[in-house]
Amino acid sequence: MGIVVGDCVGHGLQAATVMGQLRSACRALLLQDPSPARTLVALDRFAALLPGASCATVFCGVLDPATGLMRYSSAGHPPAIVVRADGTPELLQHGRSRPLAVRPGQERPEAEATVPPRATLMLYTDGLVERRRQPITAGIARATDAIQQGHHAPVEVLATEIMDRLTPDGGYHDDVALLLYRHPGPLELEFPAESTRLAEVRTALRGWLDRCGLAPAHAYNILVAAGEACANAIEHGHRDNPGGRIRLRAAATAGALRLSVTDSGHWRDRDQPPDPHRGRGLVLMRALMDNISVTPGATGTTVDMQARITP
């Protein structure tokens, strides 16, 4: 998975046009060669021919979503920030060299770092951290502190919190780009409402839970609860309309995991008498997870489950 943030000199439409061309070129180069350093060397040659691209800065990383291992190279860009699940920060300051098109053709260094389970990786442009009459290191320290304070929040919420916390008096004076990734990324599955699909769903979820770094007993509880939710969605949500689809989504923060299962059918009406020999799935899910809610709707039912993650 390529993770790239860049920034060129200037503002407005002309700068946006340059960045759009650099972005397209970088994507094409990464598809041809997944080495961040060699990609930036090739991007040097392209930027040297593109008016307005000289001295642009780029952080280019290639991350393995299975292991969290990332190879990266930086063309004069501010260091990426990693905050572990326990709040420990790390700046990715290796693999650094000159901005683009300064000395085209020369080799660039490359470094490696590992994004641990449930850690947060942030890339950004200097507009987020630069302040007048202050060293940029002070701004980077503030950004690191903002991630540490919010690393228990979903990344969508954390992005807004970081922008709000770092907004200077009078607003930002430069364009700001912010990119957040939490390892592993969310698991999103969509599958037919057929019981024969449950085994492959369990396999995919088990692998994702392993990448989250959960204890085996905790992962087992979540697997059982998710299996019950999927089985309920198949049996109850689609008993009258076979052939429907079910969606499963799981996402982790530093200290919690949220999992939702959504069907496209209709469950038994509440005013109908319950079957005394069935209906233990929700009881089991509530026993295994810290919080569970069932939300019926016109187009289906969503089961939301949350579990705390202890160190």
Side-chain angles (χ1 to χ4, degrees), residues 72-301:
Y72 68 93
S73 185
S74 175
H77 203 75
I81 303 170
V82 175
V83 173
R84 297 171 179 266
D86 63 2
T88 304
E90 178 186 1
L91 297 183
L92 305 188
Q93 303 189 81
H94 302 290
R96 295 176 57 80
S97 57
R98 62 206 172 276
L100 292 181
V102 174
R103 290 193 295 274
Q106 293 191 8
E107 293 186 357
R108 290 182 175 273
E110 189 171 287
E112 287 188 352
T114 297
V115 183
R118 306 190 314 281
T120 303
L121 168 69
M122 184 173 83
L123 277 61
Y124 54 95
T125 55
D126 57 11
L128 181 72
V129 295
E130 278 190 338
R131 300 291 181 270
R132 292 190 178 98
R133 296 181 294 278
Q134 293 183 18
I136 192 171
T137 52
I140 294 173
R142 284 192 294 268
T144 302
D145 182 66
I147 305 175
Q148 290 175 296
Q149 292 184 45
H151 72 298
H152 286 279
V155 289
E156 314 87 71
V157 176
L158 178 57
T160 301
E161 290 180 353
I162 290 172
M163 291 293 291
D164 290 343
R165 287 173 180 166
L166 298 184
T167 301
D169 295 337
Y172 288 101
H173 301 292
D174 193 5
D175 299 328
V176 175
L178 175 66
L179 187 153
L180 289 171
Y181 168 78
R182 181 167 289 133
H183 180 69
L187 174 69
E188 297 184 348
L189 302 174
E190 183 172 333
F191 55 96
E194 301 168 0
S195 58
T196 55
R197 299 302 184 104
L198 290 177
E200 62 188 72
V201 172
R202 281 195 299 270
T203 298
L205 180 57
R206 183 183 295 111
W208 183 83
L209 291 171
D210 287 343
R211 294 194 292 276
C212 287
L214 299 190
H218 198 179
Y220 176 78
N221 289 345
I222 295 171
L223 274 172
V224 173
E228 288 293 332
C230 291
N232 276 359
I234 293 171
E235 181 175 356
H236 301 299
H238 294 275
R239 66 191 187 284
D240 297 326
N241 61 333
R245 309 286 292 181
I246 294 174
R247 297 189 306 277
L248 181 148
R249 187 180 193 276
T253 66
L257 182 144
R258 180 175 178 178
L259 189 147
S260 64
V261 175
T262 302
D263 62 59
S264 55
H266 180 70
W267 287 27
R268 175 181 57 81
D269 293 332
R270 292 186 176 183
D271 55 359
Q272 293 182 4
D275 186 339
H277 305 292
R278 308 298 300 277
R280 304 300 184 198
L282 287 174
V283 175
L284 184 58
M285 283 184 269
R286 290 192 172 98
L288 295 173
M289 304 292 279
D290 294 300
N291 191 18
I292 179 173
S293 64
V294 180
T295 307
T299 59
T301 298

